[in-house]
Amino acid sequence: PNSYAIAAQLHEALRSLNYTSDREIRDQDEFPLHVLSFTQAPSVLLELGFITDDADLAKLCDESFQEEMASAIAAGIQETVEQ
């Protein structure tokens, strides 16, 4: 439950940047990932774009946009901690 709450906040923060297609939050039960299954702490895995998509690649290579993504991630984490 804690991981999902964090994922939801991060999803909203990153979605506000409106730069790639929204693939929604994937549930660990539906798509089990080893890196998330064997941790005791709340955890999420972020996909920030796809290098095979030219528009995503351009954004991912842009330093100022990298700062925007980092700020959105930090804001999502902060929002979760403050709840």
Side-chain angles (χ1 to χ4, degrees), residues 19-32:
Y19 72 97
T20 191
S21 59
D22 186 355
R23 296 190 55 195
E24 300 298 325
I25 299 172
R26 305 295 173 114
D27 188 86
Q28 176 65 12
D29 294 332
E30 184 180 358
F31 297 97

Side-chain angles (χ1 to χ4, degrees), residues 9-81:
Q9 289 296 332
L10 291 172
H11 179 253
E12 286 304 312
L14 288 166
R15 195 168 75 146
S16 71
L17 298 178
N18 197 32
Y19 72 97
T20 191
S21 59
D22 186 355
R23 296 190 55 195
E24 300 298 325
I25 299 172
R26 305 295 173 114
D27 188 86
Q28 176 65 12
D29 294 332
E30 184 180 358
F31 297 97
L33 299 170
H34 186 83
V35 69
L36 299 177
S37 295
F38 295 97
T39 182
Q40 299 299 313
S43 55
V44 297
L45 179 67
L46 299 174
E47 288 183 339
L48 298 174
F50 301 94
I51 61 172
T52 55
D53 180 286
D54 290 339
D56 281 5
L57 181 60
K59 288 286 192 179
L60 294 170
C61 290
D62 182 299
E63 286 187 40
S64 64
F65 193 74
Q66 291 172 11
E67 289 291 329
E68 287 183 55
M69 287 190 297
S71 293
I73 293 167
I77 292 170
Q78 184 172 1
E79 182 71 27
T80 303
V81 170

